[in-house]
Amino acid sequence: MNPDALLGGFADAPLQSARAFRGTLEALARPGEIREVTGAMPPAPLSVAAGVLLLILCDGTTSVHLAGAYDCAALRDWITFHCGAPLMAAEDAMFAVGDWDALQPVTRFAVGQPDYPDRSATLIIEMPDLSPQGQRLTGPGIATSAQLSLPETAAFRANRTLFPLGFDAFLTCGTQVAGLPRSTIVEES
């Protein structure tokens, strides 16, 4: 293991993880709202926000898939040390991290089972930019409508047709995170 893997976790874990967890829950409960989360300093190419999500959501019982350029020794070592999460193939992962292209096809990720819809994957999608412009979002947690820059519309529309099954997603860029639960209706604006 590279000694650099020992760095980049929360400096004040109780306080930072509580704040980050609250911000993450708020982002998922209010699709389209962009939140700031800080505290992690993961190795490249992982953003601060994606690193924070891994620190607060993953542990030895939550499998992670690293897609594309994110499947590198530095990240594997960092996740192993800070989270203890086992690294798995896409089909077996509870969480997947990568940019949109690397995560394709998203149909390979678990969408749950009729009796256990919670046994689905959560995608952490690294974005080059995250803004409250773009596709129109409606559904639970949104008063009227919201907008969010998504990498595409079709995959999220198809995911919504599976409800109550389907994957949930977090979109991250720098220190920003936005949540997109499977219950959200996505339309071109």
Side-chain angles (χ1 to χ4, degrees):
M1 179 179 286
N2 184 332
D4 290 340
L6 306 178
L7 306 173
F10 291 130
D12 185 4
L15 185 59
Q16 289 175 308
S17 63
R19 285 182 180 153
F21 190 73
R22 175 65 181 213
T24 300
L25 286 180
E26 291 289 330
L28 199 58
R30 292 172 177 75
E33 287 189 16
I34 299 171
R35 303 286 177 152
E36 293 283 328
V37 292
T38 60
M41 293 300 294
L46 199 64
S47 70
V48 169
V52 167
L53 291 175
L54 290 172
L55 288 176
I56 62 171
L57 299 175
C58 298
D59 61 22
T61 65
T62 52
S63 53
V64 174
H65 173 72
L66 299 173
Y70 294 82
D71 186 13
C72 62
L75 279 179
R76 287 191 300 269
D77 288 349
W78 190 82
I79 290 169
T80 299
F81 178 76
H82 290 281
C83 305
L87 301 173
M88 299 282 188
E91 298 78 15
D92 302 319
M94 296 173 74
F95 288 88
V97 182
D99 62 34
W100 186 245
D101 290 338
L103 292 169
Q104 298 306 308
V106 293
T107 54
R108 63 190 169 142
F109 296 104
V111 295
Q113 302 165 359
D115 293 345
Y116 299 98
D118 59 317
R119 293 183 181 169
S120 62
T122 298
L123 307 184
I124 300 172
I125 305 165
E126 292 272 56
M127 302 283 291
D129 181 53
L130 196 54
S131 67
Q133 301 170 2
Q135 287 85 345
R136 182 177 182 266
L137 310 178
T138 57
I142 304 170
T144 55
S145 69
Q147 287 187 294
L148 186 63
S149 55
L150 300 177
E152 74 167 82
T153 303
F156 295 103
R157 289 178 61 103
N159 186 55
R160 174 63 173 96
T161 65
L162 301 173
F163 188 80
L165 305 179
F167 62 82
D168 295 313
F170 286 104
L171 293 91
T172 57
C173 180
T175 60
Q176 297 178 316
V177 62
L180 192 66
R182 66 189 86 176
S183 59
T184 304
I185 299 165
V186 177
E187 301 171 307
E188 289 292 340
S189 57

